[in-house]
Amino acid sequence: MPVSEKLIKRLKAAFHVVVASGAGISAASGVPTFRGKDGLWNKFKPQDLANMNAFLEDPALVWEWYRWRRNIIKNVKPNAGHYALVEMEQYFPEFSVITQNVDNLHQSAGTKNITELHGNIMRDKCINCTYECDETETNAAQFENNVPRCPQCGSLLRPGVVWFGEMLPQTAIARGQSLAAEAEIFFSIGTSSLVEPAASLPYIAKGNGALLVEINPEETPLSSIVDQRFASEADEILPKLAMLVRKVRKRIENH
Ligand code: OAD
Ligand code: ZN
């Protein structure tokens, strides 16, 4: 794992480190990515399912797809990549993970400071009112034709994720942008760097002086501008980076 002098120097001195993660960090846990060689989109067409029109046309079908994905997620565990980030968090005064993932695996691993840009697949929310809940709180009595209904207003409940054509939660994207602007090191891990506005975060970071690091076995549109690229799988490279961090820094006691 050749690590540049520049990165080692930053790892030694940085106050604020930001990680932006995508589906690739969960690949080793057995959660399919969207794009890429084993991507979901080779088998399905999520853009046809993950949007409001498709949902209104056939909510039962869209729910069936999400239940299938929930079941995968309920049966997987965080991998060495997620755990390495939990360890790294203890060595920097500010350490934040901004994720496009809806799979809850950073949370299960124990990362504390997480910004979810695309929501969380384990949540339900109403298409009409502000009602939101954990999927476990939606009970059998609320279902009509396999589709759950809002206990407050009777409208359809939908998965608590961001769909094509929808805005990201305003507070999450604003937080992501301000974290990116403050980062001294910005890691882009396991994302195809194609989907906006998440794809712009590393540019904000670099524009504000961050050192950019990419971890992805495949090249992305970001690859040509990063300061260091690890063309490896996240679960392989992150534990090595965490070990390096342990060597060059002292643990922050109040973490
Ligand atoms: P993608 O599926 O677009 O990209 C996954 C990336 O992970 C690819 O670039 C792979 O090369 C890389 N990869 C695969 N295995 C890896 C591993 N073991 N370690 C590191 N990298 C690996 O996933 P995202 O970029 O997260 O949004 O997709 C962004 C958004 O597209 C998703 O959040 C989803 C979709 O539209 C919504 O649903 C709103
Ligand atoms: Zn409602």
Side-chain angles (χ1 to χ4, degrees), residues 22-24 33-35 100 118 162 190-192 195 216-218 233-234:
T33 58
F34 296 91
R35 303 170 187 81
Q100 293 173 83
H118 292 170
V162 175
T191 172
S192 55
V195 177
N216 194 320
E218 291 175 40
E233 310 209 320

Side-chain angles (χ1 to χ4, degrees), residues 67-154:
R67 267 185 223 118
W68 173 76
R69 286 179 56 201
R70 276 182 178 173
N71 273 334
I72 295 179
I73 286 163
K74 280 181 193 166
N75 289 305
V76 300
K77 293 193 174 70
N79 63 61
H82 296 103
Y83 288 118
L85 294 179
V86 178
E87 174 160 19
M88 281 163 71
E89 186 170 37
Q90 303 173 348
Y91 290 88
F92 298 95
E94 298 286 342
F95 187 92
S96 331
V97 173
I98 305 167
T99 190
Q100 293 173 83
N101 298 344
V102 296
D103 61 22
N104 227 27
L105 289 178
H106 287 298
Q107 286 89 336
S108 311
T111 289
K112 288 187 197 119
N113 191 358
I114 304 167
T115 302
E116 285 177 330
L117 294 179
H118 292 170
N120 190 307
I121 199 170
M122 293 308 175
R123 293 190 64 77
D124 289 356
K125 63 182 184 189
C126 179
I127 62 164
N128 178 51
C129 73
T130 54
Y131 181 79
E132 252 199 85
C133 67
D134 201 84
E135 60 105 24
T136 53
E137 293 167 48
T138 303
N139 60 52
Q142 280 171 248
F143 281 80
E144 268 172 47
N145 303 323
N146 290 326
V147 177
R149 296 273 171 172
C150 176
Q152 272 177 21
C153 76

Side-chain angles (χ1 to χ4, degrees), residues 9-55:
K9 231 169 124 184
R10 279 287 166 109
L11 284 172
K12 277 184 187 161
F15 183 87
H16 195 160
V17 172
V18 172
V19 169
S21 71
I25 196 168
S26 298
S29 293
V31 183
T33 58
F34 296 91
R35 303 170 187 81
K37 68 177 165 42
D38 299 318
L40 263 182
W41 294 8
N42 303 326
K43 297 172 210 145
F44 300 88
K45 283 218 168 98
Q47 62 270 51
D48 293 347
L49 291 175
N51 71 73
M52 188 50 108
N53 287 342
F55 182 69

